[in-house]
Amino acid sequence: MVDLKAGREEFSARFFVESSYPIERVSEVIAGEQSSGTFISLPGESAELNERSRARVVSIDPLPETTGASLYSEFLSRRNPSDKYYRGEVAIAFPTANIGNNIPALLTTIAGNLFEIGEVSGLRILDLELPERFAAGFQGPRFGIEGTRALCGVHDRPIIGTIIKPSIGLTPEQTASVADELCTGGIDFLKDDELLIDPTYASFDARLKAVMPILHKHADRLGRMPMYAINISGSIDEMLRRQDAVLAAGGTCVMLCLNWVGHSAVEHIRKHAQLPIHGHRAGWGALTRYPQLGFSFEVYQKIWRLAGIDHLHVNGIQSKFWEPDDSVISSAKSCLAPFAGIQPLMPVFSSGQWAAQAPVLFNKLKSVDLMHLAGGGIIGHPLGIAAGVQSMREGWEAAVQNVPLEHYAEGKPALSAALQKFGGV
Amino acid sequence: MVDLKAGREEFSARFFVESSYPIERVSEVIAGEQSSGTFISLPGESAELNERSRARVVSIDPLPETTGASLYSEFLSRRNPSDKYYRGEVAIAFPTANIGNNIPALLTTIAGNLFEIGEVSGLRILDLELPERFAAGFQGPRFGIEGTRALCGVHDRPIIGTIIKPSIGLTPEQTASVADELCTGGIDFLKDDELLIDPTYASFDARLKAVMPILHKHADRLGRMPMYAINISGSIDEMLRRQDAVLAAGGTCVMLCLNWVGHSAVEHIRKHAQLPIHGHRAGWGALTRYPQLGFSFEVYQKIWRLAGIDHLHVNGIQSKFWEPDDSVISSAKSCLAPFAGIQPLMPVFSSGQWAAQAPVLFNKLKSVDLMHLAGGGIIGHPLGIAAGVQSMREGWEAAVQNVPLEHYAEGKPALSAALQKFGGV
């Protein structure tokens, strides 16, 4: 990824591009728009300026043409109306000197005005590659998978967790009461809903004050501290103060609504935080659900990995959300895959999860480095919360030992009851 | 917007919704998912809990059905495959007590997981209404239109500006030289490209140091300080330091790449900044270009208005971007329109602008409260930069006086030459 000719260090991004103009032409427009190439040059300076700052098209892989535009563009309607739209995957290399270790600059370069270019009727960022030396200038996760496991006291199996429900509306005392039940049941991890931050009737401070004694009580009993991802999202000053309050109270995790807190805020919390950052992706659907626009999860997780979060939500398989299972698994794999020397993220599966999803997940993911959050699968278990947690663990034991669930459930009331109530996969 | 029955203060959001289920049903799913309604309730507590936290569907305006889904959903394919998709506009009211004056909480509520709900095959947030008392708890713009005009010394006409080009690649000395030419030509406002933040060969500090003496030189001559929106985007610590450096050097504006710095960061800079915040929307296309997903500009500008920026880009008419002119004008109007007692934003028109667009813009917008940025229309003017700036002012004089451009150009070499070179509208 170093352009030897120009003697410069580069990073590269790969895009899906669609246009009524040939992809070669549009790729040059994109490379120009996102660097120094679309304007009159200064006399005598252009070669040198281009060498230091101009992006270059590295490769173009054509895809089959289509007859309709994915996205409307008045520019194309006026200048190049067509019943043929070219498509391709385009890799573009940018000099790292243009941006430095600045995430807003990185995103403005790979995901800025290019989505609005008149010549494109489809544009999606698919991947991002950084040289390791350059990537090392970003913070990356502080705790990651191993640090999280150490704080949870859970090794060699998934971290089993849940979300405190109802999502929002509980008083601090009710929240503590639900947490108490969950910890009594042996849960490893519990979290606030992403909606729950600082409502007037259950402020962050009141919630922390009510829940922490419960966690300590169970930590004494269990010999490990249940991890509580308390949602600290808000202003910079609030988030810093809340992180400190969680740390002082003996908590072991903070949660952020990544998209709506934003990149500079997450980096700032990472810089100051002494606890793992549980990243919720609320709003992500708007960035990804139309396949010819926006972001792939691959790029999304890489950016947040650079910013320094530790856990990232990936939906669940067979969930209540729109996303196909293959897409969920692919997201989790990308969290676990190597990226420019930055340590992996712990993927968080949630929504409609229960014990029988363990073998499916394990067969596809080939890893136990994950958080598996079940709501109804734990709280709705016919033998109670403890049996719900137990059934999740037994599901994973069966998965890892490659024993069919029905066999493994023999003599195990928790898993048996789960299979009976929630049905086969 | 107060639900008297429940005795609670509410805000509301309006959504476009599409589904193979009836819109009434899906609206309840959305209201539940985004508040406390999708889970088993605590015995004896549910009525009280719902009163304080449950969102309610206020109205549903049906739209014509379609035969195809706008967005794929595996959930719908499995559970409710159909060749009929219902559509409607849905207003949902939420208790303000759920979120407080917390922008990440507001966005997580109105633009969070709802985009991923399995039951929807299309979802876009169209509008947001807040009670004035509640809105007053957010910072809002500090300078707005009047504060910006006062710092620019420009009244009763648009602020005429440009973007220093090439976008990226100039040395600090070259940047200063371009700024010198522009100020000599009488420009009111100049800005960095959104890509230009802190490249190794033209760091923020070197750029500020090189450009500020030029601005002071011209301020002495002009009796007004040309406003330079220098891009300070980056980490929280960098942005605060840079804002202070701009202020100390006598600068009058800072620029932020809003989406990639993020909401909490922008609020933090607003809290500490003593200069207007010029908001660039790089990346906005990803959030809006598919009409059945994401955000309307109406909501987007309201959120950034709450966060406290002063200027916001809206593209130009007849620009190089995809966007139809009506959409651009509608965006600018929404920046200028009243919103819950929060002062308006100054809309910034740019991309492919020149003098002859003034009458078109004025006829549609009925306002001169805007920034009009021209690149080629100023720098590419056949009689030079000063004539380019002059031609923009003359274009606006003609517009406001309702005199046809060709008549107004008589005896005015700058406007005449612009009309001759760039052609009629």
Side-chain angles (χ1 to χ4, degrees):
Chain A
M1 201 42 62
V2 174
D3 180 1
L4 292 174
K5 193 177 53 178
R8 66 183 194 178
E9 184 186 59
E10 296 179 329
F11 69 96
S12 72
R14 196 159 55 83
F15 303 94
F16 165 84
V17 177
E18 180 191 288
S19 177
S20 62
Y21 291 110
I23 297 301
E24 291 71 17
R25 172 170 168 181
V26 181
S27 302
E28 291 298 337
V29 172
I30 296 169
E33 177 72 24
Q34 299 306 118
S35 66
S36 54
T38 56
F39 218 74
I40 50 173
S41 54
L42 298 182
E45 295 291 347
S46 63
E48 195 187 323
L49 186 139
N50 279 341
E51 271 179 28
R52 65 176 169 249
S53 64
R54 180 67 154 84
R56 64 188 181 91
V57 178
V58 175
S59 66
I60 298 174
D61 296 318
L63 293 168
E65 297 160 7
T66 58
T67 52
S70 296
L71 299 168
Y72 172 74
S73 167
E74 188 162 277
F75 181 96
L76 285 179
S77 315
R78 278 202 313 263
R79 306 211 193 169
N80 196 38
S82 176
D83 55 5
K84 186 162 77 172
Y85 289 83
Y86 302 99
R87 288 178 158 191
E89 286 192 13
V90 176
I92 298 179
F94 303 85
T96 59
N98 278 8
I99 63 165
N101 290 120
N102 183 316
I103 289 184
L106 174 61
L107 281 163
T108 301
T109 299
I110 64 172
N113 276 354
L114 75 182
F115 292 116
E116 298 203 52
I117 289 172
E119 285 89 344
V120 307
S121 61
L123 197 142
R124 185 176 176 89
I125 178 159
L126 302 174
D127 205 357
L128 170 69
E129 295 293 342
L130 306 184
E132 283 204 16
R133 189 212 62 82
F134 179 64
F138 295 89
Q139 294 183 100
R142 175 159 178 182
F143 291 86
I145 294 166
E146 288 317 308
T148 298
R149 286 193 176 287
L151 283 169
C152 281
V154 174
H155 302 276
D156 304 320
R157 64 169 177 83
I159 293 172
I160 304 298
T162 194
I163 303 153
I164 296 170
K165 295 277 182 179
S167 306
I168 189 161
L170 295 175
T171 63
E173 295 67 34
Q174 289 169 334
T175 307
S177 159
V178 175
D180 196 16
E181 276 190 77
L182 290 162
C183 293
T184 302
I187 203 96
D188 302 322
F189 174 89
L190 61 167
K191 68 179 275 292
D192 285 337
D193 191 87
E194 76 277 6
L195 294 168
L196 177 60
I197 301 178
D198 195 37
T200 56
Y201 47 78
S203 72
F204 166 86
D205 289 311
R207 227 159 63 238
L208 184 71
K209 191 174 167 190
V211 174
M212 285 311 301
I214 303 293
L215 299 184
H216 283 295
K217 177 182 82 176
H218 289 284
D220 292 343
R221 179 178 67 82
L222 294 163
R224 61 174 175 79
M225 182 77 171
M227 180 175 272
Y228 173 33
I230 185 167
N231 194 347
I232 66 166
S233 305
S235 72
I236 298 290
D237 294 331
E238 282 166 350
M239 290 190 284
L240 290 176
R241 185 187 69 75
R242 288 173 186 164
Q243 194 280 149
D244 290 346
V246 175
L247 186 69
T252 55
C253 190
V254 294
M255 169 176 163
L256 294 175
C257 295
L258 301 175
N259 296 317
W260 307 137
V261 156
H263 297 88
S264 298
V266 172
E267 283 194 289
H268 196 65
I269 301 307
R270 161 65 181 87
K271 186 173 171 186
H272 292 277
Q274 298 169 64
L275 298 171
I277 296 172
H278 187 81
H280 196 282
R281 63 181 193 176
W284 163 240
L287 291 168
T288 199
R289 253 192 94 173
Y290 189 63
Q292 284 83 44
L293 182 66
F295 288 73
S296 73
F297 186 86
E298 183 72 23
V299 172
Y300 185 75
Q301 66 85 15
K302 285 183 175 178
I303 297 287
W304 289 118
R305 212 196 279 203
L306 291 173
I309 66 168
D310 299 281
H311 319 148
L312 183 56
H313 280 247
V314 299
N315 280 346
I317 56 170
Q318 301 155 349
S319 82
K320 67 182 175 185
F321 291 121
W322 72 280
E323 191 175 3
D325 289 355
D326 285 352
S327 170
V328 174
I329 296 294
S330 160
S331 295
K333 282 186 175 169
S334 73
C335 288
L336 295 171
F339 166 51
I342 308 283
Q343 68 169 311
L345 298 177
M346 182 164 256
V348 182
F349 292 82
S350 77
S351 166
Q353 303 297 288
W354 68 286
Q357 282 151 347
V360 186
L361 254 179
F362 184 70
N363 284 337
K364 296 192 179 199
L365 197 63
K366 311 290 184 206
S367 175
V368 293
D369 284 335
L370 61 103
M371 291 187 169
H372 201 183
L373 312 190
I378 287 178
I379 295 175
H381 192 284
L383 304 181
I385 286 176
V389 173
Q390 182 65 16
S391 72
M392 294 289 291
R393 293 200 186 158
E394 289 169 351
W396 276 97
E397 288 162 11
V400 171
Q401 294 169 35
N402 198 24
V403 178
L405 277 180
E406 294 70 19
H407 291 189
Y408 198 76
E410 283 169 22
K412 297 191 174 68
L415 185 55
S416 297
L419 292 176
Q420 200 168 4
K421 169 148 186 194
F422 303 121
V425 173
Chain B
M1 200 43 62
V2 174
D3 180 359
L4 292 175
K5 193 176 46 156
R8 66 184 193 178
E9 184 186 60
E10 296 180 328
F11 68 95
S12 73
R14 196 160 53 85
F15 303 94
F16 165 85
V17 176
E18 180 192 287
S19 177
S20 61
Y21 291 110
I23 297 301
E24 291 71 17
R25 173 171 169 179
V26 181
S27 302
E28 291 297 336
V29 172
I30 295 169
E33 176 72 25
Q34 297 307 118
S35 66
S36 53
T38 57
F39 217 75
I40 49 173
S41 54
L42 298 184
E45 296 289 348
S46 62
E48 195 188 324
L49 187 141
N50 279 342
E51 272 179 27
R52 66 173 168 252
S53 63
R54 181 66 154 82
R56 64 187 180 94
V57 178
V58 175
S59 67
I60 297 174
D61 297 316
L63 293 169
E65 295 160 10
T66 57
T67 53
S70 296
L71 299 169
Y72 172 74
S73 167
E74 189 162 277
F75 181 97
L76 285 180
S77 312
R78 275 201 315 262
R79 304 211 194 171
N80 195 38
S82 176
D83 54 7
K84 185 163 77 173
Y85 289 83
Y86 303 98
R87 288 178 158 192
E89 285 191 14
V90 177
I92 298 178
F94 302 86
T96 59
N98 278 8
I99 63 165
N101 291 121
N102 183 314
I103 289 184
L106 174 61
L107 280 163
T108 301
T109 300
I110 64 171
N113 276 355
L114 75 182
F115 293 116
E116 299 201 52
I117 290 173
E119 286 89 345
V120 306
S121 60
L123 197 143
R124 184 175 175 92
I125 178 161
L126 302 174
D127 205 356
L128 170 68
E129 296 294 341
L130 305 184
E132 283 204 17
R133 190 213 61 83
F134 179 64
F138 296 89
Q139 295 183 98
R142 175 159 178 180
F143 291 87
I145 293 166
E146 288 317 307
T148 298
R149 286 193 176 287
L151 284 170
C152 281
V154 174
H155 301 277
D156 305 321
R157 64 169 178 82
I159 293 172
I160 305 298
T162 194
I163 302 153
I164 297 170
K165 295 278 181 179
S167 307
I168 192 162
L170 295 174
T171 63
E173 296 68 34
Q174 290 168 332
T175 307
S177 159
V178 174
D180 196 15
E181 276 190 78
L182 290 163
C183 293
T184 302
I187 202 96
D188 303 322
F189 174 90
L190 60 168
K191 71 179 274 292
D192 285 338
D193 192 87
E194 75 277 6
L195 295 168
L196 177 61
I197 302 178
D198 195 36
T200 56
Y201 48 77
S203 72
F204 166 85
D205 290 312
R207 225 158 64 238
L208 184 70
K209 192 176 165 186
V211 173
M212 285 312 301
I214 303 293
L215 300 185
H216 283 295
K217 178 180 83 178
H218 289 284
D220 292 343
R221 179 176 68 81
L222 294 163
R224 61 173 175 81
M225 182 78 171
M227 180 175 272
Y228 173 34
I230 185 166
N231 194 348
I232 66 166
S233 306
S235 72
I236 298 289
D237 293 332
E238 282 166 350
M239 290 191 284
L240 290 175
R241 187 187 67 75
R242 288 173 185 162
Q243 194 278 148
D244 290 347
V246 175
L247 186 70
T252 55
C253 190
V254 294
M255 168 175 163
L256 294 174
C257 294
L258 301 175
N259 296 317
W260 306 137
V261 157
H263 297 88
S264 298
V266 171
E267 284 194 289
H268 196 65
I269 301 306
R270 160 65 181 86
K271 187 173 171 185
H272 292 277
Q274 299 169 63
L275 298 171
I277 296 173
H278 187 82
H280 197 281
R281 62 181 194 176
W284 163 240
L287 290 169
T288 199
R289 252 192 93 174
Y290 189 63
Q292 283 83 44
L293 182 66
F295 289 72
S296 74
F297 185 85
E298 183 72 22
V299 172
Y300 185 75
Q301 67 86 14
K302 286 182 176 178
I303 297 288
W304 289 118
R305 213 197 276 204
L306 291 173
I309 67 168
D310 299 282
H311 319 147
L312 183 56
H313 280 248
V314 298
N315 279 346
I317 56 170
Q318 300 153 351
S319 82
K320 68 184 175 184
F321 291 120
W322 73 279
E323 191 175 3
D325 289 355
D326 285 352
S327 170
V328 173
I329 296 293
S330 161
S331 295
K333 282 185 175 170
S334 73
C335 288
L336 295 172
F339 167 50
I342 308 281
Q343 67 170 310
L345 299 177
M346 182 163 255
V348 182
F349 292 81
S350 75
S351 168
Q353 303 298 290
W354 68 286
Q357 282 150 347
V360 186
L361 253 180
F362 185 70
N363 284 337
K364 295 191 178 200
L365 197 62
K366 312 289 185 206
S367 175
V368 294
D369 283 336
L370 60 103
M371 291 187 168
H372 201 184
L373 313 189
I378 287 178
I379 295 175
H381 192 283
L383 305 181
I385 286 176
V389 173
Q390 182 64 17
S391 72
M392 294 289 290
R393 292 200 187 160
E394 290 168 350
W396 277 97
E397 289 163 10
V400 172
Q401 295 169 33
N402 197 24
V403 178
L405 277 181
E406 293 70 20
H407 291 190
Y408 198 76
E410 283 168 22
K412 297 191 175 67
L415 185 55
S416 296
L419 291 176
Q420 200 167 6
K421 171 147 185 198
F422 302 120
V425 173

